[in-house]
Amino acid sequence: MSLPKDTYMFEMVRTELIDAVGADYVNTGDSDRFGHSIDYYWIPEMWHDRGRETKKPDFVVHPGSAEEVARVLKIANQYKIPVVTWGGGSGSQGGALPVFGGIVLDTKRMNKILKIDEESLTVTAETGIIARHLEWGVNKRGYSTMHLPASIACATIGGFLAHRGTGVLSTKWGKIEDMVMSLEVVTPCGEIINTLPVPRHASGPDLIMMFLGSEGTLGVITKVTLKIHPMPEARKFRAYLFKDFHTAMSAGADLMRSRLRPCAVRLYDETETLTHVKKVFGMDIGTGAYLVFGFDGREKIVDLEMEYAREIMEKKYKGRDLGSKGGDLWWQNKYKFFYPGYMFHIPQAFGTLDTVADFAHIEKVYWAMKKAVNENFPQARFIGHFSHWYEWGCMLYARFIFEGKDVPQDAGEAAELYNRVWDVAIREAIANGGVINEHHGVGLKLGRYMKDLYKNSFPILQSIKKALDPNNIMNPGKMGL
Amino acid sequence: MNIDKFNDSIKACRFCFMCRHLSGVGNVTFREADTPRIRAAMLYGVTLDKSKLANADFIETIYSSDLSAACRFHCVNSFDENGMVLAARRDIVEAGLAPADVLEIAKEENSTEAKPKISGSGDVLYYIDPDSAAVASEARAFDKIMKRAGIKYRIAKGGNTGKVLETLGFAADSAKKATEFAEAINKSGAKTLVTPNPAVYDSLINGFNSCGVKLSPKAVHASEFLAQLKIKFSKKAGKVYYLESDFLKNYNSNLKFPRELLCKLGAEVAEFGTNSEESYSCGEGAVAFDKLRPAIVEKMAKYVEARADNPSSDKIIVASPYTKMQLSKHSKLKVCTLTELAADCL
Ligand SMILES: Cc1cc2nc3c(=O)[nH]c(=O)nc-3n(C[C@H](O)[C@H](O)[C@H](O)COP(=O)(O)OP(=O)(O)OC[C@H]3O[C@@H](n4cnc5c(N)ncnc54)[C@H](O)[C@@H]3O)c2cc1C
Ligand code: SF4
């Protein structure tokens, strides 16, 4: 239900919201409503680019505590008004867009670091804190969350929890879900609940995991306790160039099967090696596939792990050693690509076909997606790198790019073209053993594939949603729920 | 339109999130609108449909920017969101859309005499602008140092370089003030103009340059002058926290002289808060921000206070009298300027 400004119901609800969070923190001005109508999803960006109106919320509220969040949700339930939780708005899936108007609940006022526990090595924080601010906060005490995503400057910790996000050091330190000790959540009906204080137990199913990845559809995560780690004594990188992508993938998979514990591994396909490595890292290394990895921790152990890893790369797979400089340049420039001037940008149409699979399927997924995109959209480029590596497989960060001249000016037609690419590529990924997706989430963009992905287990997700959110006020229209 | 010159920045910033954490105002209002991304997206809308410039709420947002330029300093490609906002303000003024509070400040600025009153003798001219005059201890500290150094200097008081008018978007009025100010200074024959106020420093260096006004003496900030002064400071400053100035660091990449001076004073400079990227200047870049958005300035000061290691005892050093004024007014932080610290170390 959207509430136009000139209705008395708008004023009624506004009055109640002011009572809940304070007049300073209920915004209904055009700038605020506009500010929450575009996130990092290409479709609303393109819509705005074409001069079309983006869908705006009726109210933007900034609660300062879980109690205030609970009050807002109770009001929303009373009047059956949609509530969309908004962290940094940096999600690429349209998850934070208020597609049916209503209330945007911006979490950024809940931005405090509440406690750093140096005995258990944990930090407790409110979830509206921007990840960079949290990291700086723990750095000051000599620790790190080890959660270093490219959107560290703009995304909130709550956003990462809601999307099961990940950072560049995920291979050793894990995704956000591996870092969580406990959560405080305000359920859609306005109950403030806590999960058990530790994440490993045998006291029934894990409530933490139910809320992680729920993208604001099952409530608002208001507080989190995360693990923290001492700053490592050393972090060293090394890069190799392989004759082709298949050889590099085999070398990377072998590195993971060796059970050495790299903190990061990245592999760029031949096309990205030619473009990205040169443009962003400033290395002109010729043709082939670029693989970089690193280790961190105690220096002596790091050196030993590096020695074993080099053996795999050089002896078994004949990789060309680009030295530590070849790896350091990657680390130093790891976020550079995301700045305008490097990043893809409208008028281009582009998207990240984030897919994860085990080593037995990952190459198949890559080739199947590439073929599907190339055949159906010969005007598009398909590139990819492999970002987050596990003992069993890795994440394919594939991208399609249309140059501006190949994208219709008409917003509706452009959206249709864009959606067709996803249809073709994602269905191909699922058919070949891939899972959409590894860390970007589902949102508005991929909700329509959830039934294909979950098959006959999807009704379980629907039942959970219904039980927790009987009035369907929390982020309706997202995740296919 | 003036914003057309910033088309590249508008197009780059409108979908960019990379400096969100440095949004000085956004970090205290929590409003998405108070970020470079949304300001740029709003102005992109204006480039498509000029009538959007008249939206009172957009105008209010454009005048709520703290103009710290932390984004430009951080940006790997130096996109100029700051310049874009200043250009938008000029467009607003030229279209006769300036809001009442902005017009009020502009009227007050326009009514002040541009030419300062100059007294004394010597090659060095110390300029006490109205903001610096409000911190009387600043000029006293400078005088103490100069006496110890045995240097005669002249004092220029009052006047108006046009900085406030420029920042609010009144380009023509600002240029007029700048011309008159420069005339008076140039006539004095001074060789060096020392200003304790980084906003004035930026005005004399960049503002005058952009409107083609020539200033004969070399303009330096007090920190540069004192860092190069041949004088012995006998007491050590000890542990201090230094808060960068927007105008020295982000506008003029001048990180060197304040640090050289601190080093000369034997200061052990500890990092304030958690990082050196955020602006802690309480809206220095927006010049008259305390008059235009007092409630935001108060929140910014509290934000700074909350980041101090020991708010009631830490020795906080700033380059700008404006920042000292705001922090002293709205927090319990103990703040002194670089000049005051130097005088204490004599
Ligand atoms: C330049 C750039 C680089 C990126 N790099 C990475 C990367 O390296 N790794 C990565 O994982 N992602 C990356 N992303 C994507 C994005 O940053 C993540 O998806 C992040 O998790 C979004 O957080 P946010 O606070 O911006 O959330 P939003 O976009 O505001 O919201 C995302 C979803 O989470 C929900 N939500 C937000 N906060 C809460 C909460 N407290 N409780 C419940 N639900 C909530 C929203 O309703 C929405 O559905 C990148 C994005 C950008 C712009
Ligand atoms: S100034 Fe640079 S980093 Fe900031 S929004 Fe603009 S392009 Fe992004």
Side-chain angles (χ1 to χ4, degrees):
Chain A
M1 175 171 84
S2 209
L3 285 174
K5 242 184 178 175
D6 54 0
T7 61
Y8 61 78
M9 271 317 288
F10 176 88
E11 284 307 327
M12 298 304 290
V13 174
R14 194 166 77 97
T15 307
E16 288 199 40
L17 291 172
I18 287 175
D19 200 36
V21 302
D24 247 17
Y25 300 111
V26 178
N27 300 132
T28 55
D30 292 342
S31 306
D32 289 299
R33 292 170 54 245
F34 170 72
H36 287 88
S37 71
I38 305 173
D39 65 357
Y40 196 45
Y41 182 23
W42 186 82
I43 298 259
E45 290 184 348
M46 176 274 293
W47 214 251
H48 175 63
D49 178 74
R50 305 298 199 259
R52 303 278 295 268
E53 283 299 310
T54 44
K55 182 69 194 171
K56 297 170 185 68
D58 303 308
F59 310 94
V60 179
V61 300
H62 301 272
S65 65
E67 288 71 24
E68 290 189 3
V69 171
R71 276 183 228 153
V72 171
L73 297 191
K74 283 182 181 157
I75 296 166
N77 266 295
Q78 173 77 22
Y79 298 107
K80 307 209 175 18
I81 303 169
V83 178
V84 182
T85 309
W86 178 291
S90 71
S92 52
Q93 316 298 76
L97 297 174
V99 289
F100 298 116
I103 300 169
V104 158
L105 187 155
D106 185 311
T107 60
K108 283 192 289 292
R109 197 172 141 222
M110 296 185 286
N111 64 353
K112 285 185 261 329
I113 297 179
L114 301 169
K115 185 178 174 192
I116 295 177
D117 176 344
E118 301 193 67
E119 199 172 356
S120 312
L121 287 192
T122 61
V123 58
T124 302
E126 295 177 326
T127 54
I129 190 167
I130 289 175
R132 171 53 86 198
H133 293 160
L134 175 65
E135 180 62 17
W136 275 337
V138 296
N139 287 167
K140 179 139 182 154
R141 300 273 284 269
Y143 303 106
S144 171
T145 59
M146 299 294 183
H147 181 62
L148 305 182
S151 53
I152 191 165
C154 52
T156 61
I157 284 299
F160 285 114
L161 296 165
H163 266 332
R164 302 174 81 119
T166 198
V168 279
L169 300 174
S170 61
T171 301
K172 176 170 177 183
W173 300 101
K175 295 181 70 195
I176 194 92
E177 62 247 44
D178 304 307
M179 302 174 176
V180 175
M181 297 290 293
S182 63
L183 300 175
E184 174 189 84
V185 180
V186 183
T187 66
C189 294
E191 283 292 304
I192 303 172
I193 61 151
N194 288 280
T195 62
L196 299 180
V198 293
R200 293 282 175 267
H201 57 77
S203 309
D206 193 347
L207 278 182
I208 294 179
M209 287 300 161
M210 188 177 84
F211 289 109
L212 295 185
S214 62
E215 303 188 7
T217 62
L218 301 182
V220 184
I221 306 169
T222 44
K223 203 194 290 176
V224 64
T225 299
L226 292 170
K227 298 174 200 166
I228 52 173
H229 310 274
M231 289 289 200
E233 187 180 283
R235 182 171 286 144
K236 296 186 180 180
F237 294 93
R238 199 153 199 108
Y240 286 86
L241 186 71
F242 293 91
K243 70 176 187 323
D244 54 27
F245 151 64
H246 171 72
T247 315
M249 173 55 79
S250 308
D254 240 16
L255 176 64
M256 296 312 298
R257 282 188 294 261
S258 75
R259 298 298 189 248
L260 292 168
R261 294 197 66 210
C263 55
V265 183
R266 279 283 191 292
L267 159 60
Y268 293 80
D269 72 1
E270 287 96 334
T271 324
E272 274 216 58
T273 298
L274 264 183
T275 53
H276 193 96
V277 173
K278 185 168 176 187
K279 188 173 171 195
V280 185
F281 311 149
M283 282 185 278
D284 202 352
I285 52 174
T287 55
Y290 169 90
L291 177 79
V292 58
F293 54 84
F295 295 95
D296 60 15
R298 291 261 176 208
E299 184 151 24
K300 277 186 186 162
I301 300 175
V302 165
D303 288 341
L304 198 60
E305 287 191 292
M306 190 58 92
E307 200 182 309
Y308 283 120
R310 290 186 64 180
E311 238 170 62
I312 298 173
M313 300 296 135
E314 291 167 24
K315 291 212 176 107
K316 193 159 172 198
Y317 293 97
K318 309 282 179 265
R320 171 151 74 86
D321 184 10
L322 302 172
S324 55
K325 188 166 168 233
D328 290 343
L329 279 171
W330 172 79
W331 178 249
Q332 286 151 19
N333 294 298
K334 60 186 178 297
Y335 300 145
K336 192 165 147 193
F337 171 74
F338 291 91
Y339 287 81
Y342 294 100
M343 180 57 183
F344 307 113
H345 217 260
I346 283 174
Q348 289 171 314
F350 53 90
T352 300
L353 300 159
D354 166 348
T355 314
V356 58
D358 58 21
F359 287 127
H361 291 90
I362 192 75
E363 279 191 74
K364 251 201 291 181
V365 170
Y366 170 84
W367 289 114
M369 275 172 117
K370 189 176 172 87
K371 184 162 172 275
V373 171
N374 287 345
E375 281 179 6
N376 288 282
F377 307 96
Q379 70 278 41
R381 265 186 299 144
F382 179 96
I383 57 175
H385 62 267
F386 296 82
S387 268
H388 303 280
W389 294 61
Y390 304 96
E391 296 96 332
W392 44 263
C394 61
M395 177 250 185
L396 165 56
Y397 204 115
R399 280 203 176 100
F400 66 85
I401 307 116
F402 289 81
E403 292 309 322
K405 66 180 174 31
D406 297 321
V407 186
Q409 256 314 298
D410 177 82
E413 285 174 30
E416 191 195 332
L417 169 72
Y418 192 76
N419 286 338
R420 271 198 321 193
V421 185
W422 289 91
D423 283 343
V424 165
I426 294 297
R427 296 219 157 96
E428 207 58 39
I430 296 175
N432 282 279
V435 170
I436 52 127
N437 58 57
E438 199 260 354
H439 69 262
H440 286 93
V442 180
L444 182 63
K445 189 198 264 179
L446 305 178
R448 62 187 186 279
Y449 308 115
M450 288 293 272
K451 284 196 182 96
D452 292 355
L453 189 68
Y454 276 83
K455 302 197 174 69
N456 65 354
S457 54
F458 192 64
I460 298 177
L461 290 186
Q462 287 173 312
S463 307
I464 294 173
K465 166 76 174 164
K466 207 162 184 173
L468 283 176
D469 186 14
N471 291 320
N472 193 26
I473 59 156
M474 295 303 300
N475 216 356
K478 309 292 171 58
M479 292 186 81
L481 289 169
Chain B
M1 291 180 92
N2 292 295
I3 55 171
D4 293 338
K5 290 179 212 110
F6 292 86
N7 236 332
D8 282 356
S9 296
I10 289 177
K11 289 198 166 167
C13 300
R14 67 182 165 152
F15 302 137
C16 174
F17 288 79
M18 299 307 281
C19 60
R20 169 66 183 81
H21 58 313
L22 304 176
S23 307
V25 174
N27 283 342
V28 298
T29 62
F30 314 108
R31 294 172 68 214
E32 211 58 34
D34 291 326
T35 64
R37 179 178 75 105
I38 296 301
R39 285 191 291 260
M42 277 173 12
L43 292 176
Y44 175 76
V46 172
T47 65
L48 297 183
D49 172 3
K50 296 197 178 11
S51 73
K52 288 195 168 150
L53 187 67
N55 183 312
D57 204 53
F58 279 18
I59 291 175
E60 163 140 8
T61 299
I62 290 298
Y63 278 102
S64 292
S65 167
D66 64 334
L67 292 167
S68 74
C71 54
R72 186 175 58 202
F73 194 79
H74 166 88
C75 185
V76 300
N77 283 317
S78 302
F79 282 109
D80 191 4
E81 193 266 344
N82 222 64
M84 174 198 85
V85 170
L86 287 166
R89 291 180 174 193
R90 288 199 292 280
D91 284 328
I92 290 166
V93 169
E94 284 167 22
L97 295 166
D101 51 1
V102 170
L103 285 172
E104 187 62 32
I105 299 172
K107 195 171 145 203
E108 212 177 287
E109 287 292 312
N110 268 321
S111 69
T112 63
E113 175 62 51
K115 295 180 177 170
K117 298 208 167 12
I118 302 173
S119 58
S121 62
D123 287 343
V124 175
L125 177 63
Y126 181 65
Y127 173 44
I128 308 171
D129 63 287
D131 258 0
S132 305
V135 182
S137 49
E138 175 70 20
R140 279 201 303 271
F142 187 78
D143 188 58
K144 184 176 166 191
I145 299 166
M146 293 299 268
K147 282 201 174 112
R148 180 67 63 87
I151 302 172
K152 276 205 170 137
Y153 67 105
R154 277 185 254 194
I155 291 178
K157 256 196 184 150
N160 189 335
T161 66
K163 183 66 177 170
V164 174
L165 288 162
E166 182 205 344
T167 311
L168 294 177
F170 297 83
D173 293 348
S174 160
K176 195 161 162 264
K177 293 279 178 212
T179 310
E180 288 171 20
F181 178 90
E183 261 173 36
I185 299 288
N186 293 347
K187 225 160 83 190
S188 76
K191 294 209 168 66
T192 307
L193 186 157
V194 181
T195 167
N197 188 346
V200 170
Y201 171 75
D202 183 67
S203 184
L204 303 179
I205 302 282
N206 297 318
F208 280 30
N209 196 23
S210 69
C211 56
V213 173
K214 273 222 144 334
L215 189 76
S216 308
K218 182 182 181 222
V220 294
H221 180 251
S223 58
E224 178 173 352
F225 181 78
L226 297 177
Q228 293 169 343
L229 203 61
K230 293 200 170 30
I231 182 172
K232 213 171 150 31
F233 293 97
S234 49
K235 284 190 220 138
K236 284 211 182 308
K239 183 178 173 185
V240 301
Y241 296 83
Y242 174 60
L243 308 190
E244 300 280 1
S245 143
D246 296 340
F247 283 117
L248 293 187
K249 176 183 160 236
N250 299 336
Y251 281 67
N252 290 289
S253 300
N254 179 355
L255 289 117
K256 182 178 144 192
F257 291 114
R259 298 210 172 249
E260 266 185 27
L261 176 61
L262 287 166
C263 178
K264 201 167 162 178
L265 302 177
E268 296 155 39
V269 185
E271 185 174 81
F272 180 82
T274 57
N275 69 91
S276 55
E277 277 206 271
E278 280 181 277
S279 165
Y280 295 128
S281 74
C282 304
E284 180 200 6
V287 193
F289 214 42
D290 55 332
K291 293 198 186 97
L292 195 58
R293 296 285 183 268
I296 295 180
V297 170
E298 184 173 349
K299 285 182 181 167
M300 294 174 99
K302 299 258 183 281
Y303 182 89
V304 177
E305 183 181 30
R307 270 138 196 86
D309 288 344
N310 310 289
S312 50
S313 57
D314 287 345
K315 208 163 163 185
I316 311 284
I317 312 300
V318 297
S320 144
Y322 165 91
T323 304
K324 172 175 168 160
M325 248 183 329
Q326 304 318 320
L327 287 175
S328 306
K329 187 167 164 193
H330 301 296
S331 78
K332 54 175 177 287
L333 295 174
K334 296 199 164 33
V335 188
C336 76
T337 65
L338 285 162
T339 313
E340 289 168 340
L341 181 72
D344 283 349
C345 290
L346 282 174

